[in-house]
Amino acid sequence: MSSEDRAAKLLQSEATGLLGRALGEQELELCRRYWRLILRWQRTTRLVSVAEPVWMARNLVLDSWLFLSLMPPGVRRVVDVGSGCGVPGVALSIVRPDIDFLLVEGRRRRASFLAA
């Protein structure tokens, strides 16, 4: 089993507890695309300390989903200040497309990544 497959299995196993529902196939594919983009950028720009799918699933995606329990009901817009490589905004937007996330990053290289 590849590292990416192990990461996907980790997300699927933790989703119900964090999201209150199973993770959809489209959401899982968006997570995979997010990891692949980070891995591609990591070759030239250090975005994260560890560029490995299982680590990213645990430390970027699952940690971001923890914020869902703190969000007030009916929230429509969220500003993610100091977003870096999109944490937590990108991971949250994957599972909550009904919320508009504004990602704000002051460092040029990371802002360039977010624009990709």
Side-chain angles (χ1 to χ4, degrees):
M1 181 183 295
S2 74
S3 180
E4 191 172 297
D5 289 339
R6 286 191 312 274
K9 188 173 182 172
L10 173 64
L11 290 183
Q12 289 170 324
S13 70
E14 298 293 327
T16 303
L18 293 172
L19 305 176
R21 61 175 174 79
L23 188 63
E25 284 300 317
Q26 183 179 7
E27 293 167 323
L28 187 56
E29 180 56 29
L30 289 171
C31 288
R32 288 177 187 267
R33 290 168 69 187
Y34 179 45
W35 301 327
R36 290 174 189 146
L37 185 61
I38 290 174
L39 290 170
R40 190 173 337 128
W41 276 71
Q42 191 74 3
R43 293 181 198 139
T44 58
T45 304
R46 185 175 166 92
L47 295 171
V48 294
S49 60
V50 178
E52 194 276 321
V54 172
W55 185 91
M56 289 188 281
R58 183 175 292 115
N59 295 285
L60 302 182
V61 177
L62 292 174
D63 281 359
S64 294
W65 291 352
L66 289 171
F67 284 100
L68 291 170
S69 65
L70 301 173
M71 294 173 88
V75 68
R76 303 312 272 155
R77 292 189 178 113
V78 173
V79 177
D80 176 3
V81 178
S83 191
C85 67
V87 175
V90 171
L92 289 171
S93 70
I94 290 171
V95 294
R96 289 297 306 270
D98 58 311
I99 299 175
D100 292 323
F101 289 91
L102 175 63
L103 307 180
V104 178
E105 176 54 57
R107 290 171 283 185
R108 181 168 293 168
R109 65 186 174 148
R110 292 183 179 189
S112 296
F113 168 78
L114 294 174

